[in-house]
Amino acid sequence: MEYVIGAGLALAICTFAAVVGLDRQRAFYATMVLVVATYYVLFAVLGGTVRSLLSETLVAIAFFVVAVVAFKKSEWLIVAGLVGHGVFDGFHHVLVDNPGVPAVWPGFCLSFDVVAGGYLAVLLVRRSKVATCRSVQDASA
């Protein structure tokens, strides 16, 4: 069930952001990468182990770097950051021992991240097609 809820929530948030206009700025999806990267740090605090906190903080810093580079360079890197975090969610339990992580979180976050990344990918493809159509129209005018 966590997969369905994560995917549905991602779709709802991304659609809402598009309707309201929140996603017009490059920062929206880059910020989403920053936010999803911090939850495991929160869970490490809840779990109460310094080792988990340090491990999760290092991972979060890596995703922060990805988000900043993606924001500066290419929105496709933001897609990679979101989907990459989803993949990380799938392997989190193997990579980091964090007793504060709720049992349903990795599946929820995996589906949220992959759907949000996919949503952004679709937006980028659509924007590219619109830009291409406008260029062709301008050239023929």
Side-chain angles (χ1 to χ4, degrees):
M1 184 59 111
E2 65 267 21
Y3 295 97
V4 173
I5 294 171
L9 189 58
L11 191 59
I13 289 172
C14 293
T15 301
F16 175 79
V19 169
V20 175
L22 291 172
D23 71 342
R24 289 187 192 141
Q25 301 295 319
R26 293 173 65 111
F28 179 78
Y29 287 99
T31 301
M32 190 179 287
V33 174
L34 299 175
V35 171
V36 299
T38 62
Y39 281 105
Y40 285 112
V41 175
L42 168 64
F43 297 143
V45 171
L46 294 173
T49 68
V50 174
R51 184 176 182 160
S52 294
L53 181 59
L54 292 174
S55 298
E56 300 291 15
T57 299
L58 290 174
V59 172
I61 288 169
F63 280 101
F64 273 45
V65 170
V66 169
V68 171
V69 171
F71 174 72
K72 300 277 186 184
K73 300 290 182 187
S74 170
E75 287 180 292
W76 283 105
L77 293 173
I78 298 171
V79 171
L82 284 167
V83 173
H85 194 270
V87 171
F88 171 72
D89 292 318
F91 293 98
H92 181 271
H93 65 286
V94 175
L95 302 170
V96 180
D97 179 30
N98 184 344
V101 177
V104 297
W105 185 259
F108 169 84
C109 195
L110 181 152
S111 60
F112 183 98
D113 296 345
V114 170
V115 169
Y119 190 97
L120 177 57
V122 169
L123 285 180
L124 295 176
V125 168
R126 285 186 177 173
R127 287 181 196 162
S128 175
K129 286 182 181 181
V130 168
T132 300
C133 288
R134 286 186 183 156
S135 296
V136 170
Q137 288 175 348
D138 291 345
S140 64

